[in-house]
Amino acid sequence: MVICVPCDRSFPTQRALEQHLQSPKHWCETCNRFFKSVDSKRKHIKSSKNHLDQANSDGVYNNHPSVSMNNRRVGSHGASTMRVTTRNDYLTPAYTGVPRNMVTPVFKMACRLRFMKPDVNVLLSYIDTQLDRMIISALIEAALRLLPPDDTPEGRLEAKDIMQQKMERANIQEIAFVNQVRDFGYQFLTEKEQRNGQLRSTPDIRFLEPILIDGHLCHWIEFKNYFGFKSNPFIASKNKKQLKRYASEIGSGAVVYKLGFEIDHIVIAGIHSFREAEVLHFLEQQSKLRK
């Protein structure tokens, strides 16, 4: 038996509890977020512009309760219960993404200069921006994909080497992320384990039981070793198609970007974007609460 602590109601199965948590009382469908009561949900809708978790003018973040499916304790009668926690229990800086009007000018300049194959310093000599240098580098890399292919034997070999190096770097970062999540005590299937089980959709992480990440119900996580933005050539459309399939076949989930993402770069029901640093911090804090 599992219990919803705020409502003091028990449910015979985990699935029944999940359905209850997604009821109008607890769940805001617009932003896929959990609330402790109707009143807290009403306050959220009233005060949170565009349903983004933003800081108040005094720097204090809105207090949106969240609950972890894995964060359970045993009550006095041996009943398995779920511990409801709030953002104050593990306060983290809110990251809602980079505004598109900061990303677009830099990417357009990188596209104009792509035949020069500029580095970050060269690009910054043409445009002033507050973007992080790693994000600028990612935008340059994206712009270079728009160069016409070099069909000479040397050009094809160079392109193959570059792609192989990129895949190796991405694989290293993905393994590191997956291992950190596992070290926090979460139980899941890796992409390889899912393939061995002949599952059709194979995100990087498929949780054995769904968890809530900062109030968002996640059955799976897909890790991306880059900066997510809407105009990313060839990548954005492929990524969107992949995530839609995961949501359709597995349920709601999360895409985690190593470098962050552009605000509203993807809008898919049931899918939330995170930056790696915030997700790892959040999951680490929840793992400590479970102990």
Side-chain angles (χ1 to χ4, degrees):
M1 179 177 293
V2 289
I3 295 176
C4 176
V5 177
C7 298
D8 194 25
R9 288 183 58 189
S10 60
F11 297 87
T13 65
Q14 181 71 41
R15 183 175 181 82
L17 175 61
E18 290 175 22
Q19 291 175 344
H20 165 73
L21 290 174
Q22 296 184 64
S23 68
K25 175 177 179 178
H26 281 298
W27 207 256
C28 174
E29 293 184 358
T30 302
C31 61
N32 196 27
R33 184 173 288 276
F34 172 86
F35 293 93
K36 186 176 180 179
S37 65
V38 173
D39 185 57
S40 62
K41 177 182 173 182
R42 186 182 299 113
K43 289 179 180 178
H44 156 75
I45 294 174
K46 182 178 179 180
S47 63
S48 185
K49 184 179 179 181
N50 297 326
H51 295 285
L52 292 177
D53 188 15
Q54 298 176 329
N56 296 328
S57 58
D58 59 358
V60 179
Y61 292 100
N62 294 329
N63 188 24
H64 296 306
S66 61
V67 60
S68 168
M69 294 296 180
N70 290 330
N71 193 8
R72 300 179 180 178
R73 57 182 172 82
V74 177
S76 58
H77 298 289
S80 175
T81 64
M82 299 180 66
R83 172 187 169 90
V84 175
T85 57
T86 68
R87 179 178 286 275
N88 287 338
D89 290 320
Y90 32 78
L91 191 63
T92 58
Y95 178 87
T96 56
V98 179
R100 186 164 299 163
N101 60 11
M102 290 183 64
V103 176
T104 300
V106 178
F107 178 62
K108 285 185 175 180
M109 181 59 70
C111 290
R112 294 192 189 103
L113 302 176
R114 65 186 184 277
F115 290 98
M116 296 172 51
K117 297 185 178 180
D119 59 18
V120 174
N121 290 330
V122 170
L123 187 65
L124 288 176
S125 68
Y126 284 84
I127 189 170
D128 184 30
T129 179
Q130 299 300 313
L131 288 179
D132 181 85
R133 291 179 66 90
M134 293 185 67
I135 294 178
I136 297 173
S137 179
L139 296 177
I140 293 174
E141 181 179 334
L144 294 181
R145 286 199 295 274
L146 295 174
L147 287 171
D150 184 348
D151 287 331
T152 65
E154 295 80 7
R156 289 195 294 269
L157 181 60
E158 180 183 7
K160 182 179 179 180
D161 289 341
I162 292 174
M163 180 59 67
Q164 184 175 351
Q165 292 174 18
K166 181 180 178 181
M167 291 177 63
E168 289 175 353
R169 290 195 300 269
N171 189 51
I172 290 172
Q173 294 298 325
E174 177 186 315
I175 291 174
F177 174 78
V178 170
N179 286 341
Q180 283 186 276
V181 176
R182 193 183 295 280
D183 288 344
F184 294 150
Y186 294 93
Q187 296 184 341
F188 55 83
L189 297 177
T190 63
E191 181 179 359
K192 182 178 180 180
E193 290 168 338
Q194 294 171 68
R195 292 186 186 279
N196 290 340
Q198 298 184 337
L199 296 176
R200 179 179 174 183
S201 292
T202 56
D204 296 319
I205 289 176
R206 184 194 286 244
F207 292 105
L208 299 185
E209 290 186 7
I211 69 170
L212 282 168
I213 301 178
D214 201 18
H216 301 276
L217 187 67
C218 296
H219 294 79
W220 52 269
I221 291 178
E222 180 70 15
F223 178 81
K224 301 296 184 183
N225 188 43
Y226 51 77
F227 177 76
F229 68 107
K230 189 173 183 178
S231 299
N232 198 350
F234 314 117
I235 300 296
S237 58
K238 180 180 178 181
N239 188 24
K240 188 174 182 179
K241 182 178 180 180
Q242 177 192 50
L243 297 177
K244 279 186 174 181
R245 186 175 74 252
Y246 290 167
S248 174
E249 297 182 3
I250 307 175
S252 57
V255 54
V256 175
Y257 294 97
K258 177 74 175 180
L259 301 179
F261 53 88
E262 176 187 77
I263 295 174
D264 292 336
H265 70 296
I266 54 171
V267 181
I268 303 174
I271 296 179
H272 194 76
S273 299
F274 293 99
R275 187 170 60 175
E276 180 190 36
E278 283 72 26
V279 165
L280 290 178
H281 180 81
F282 185 91
L283 294 179
E284 181 181 19
Q285 296 306 308
Q286 283 202 324
S287 70
K288 292 178 180 178
L289 290 171
R290 294 203 311 272
K291 295 179 180 179

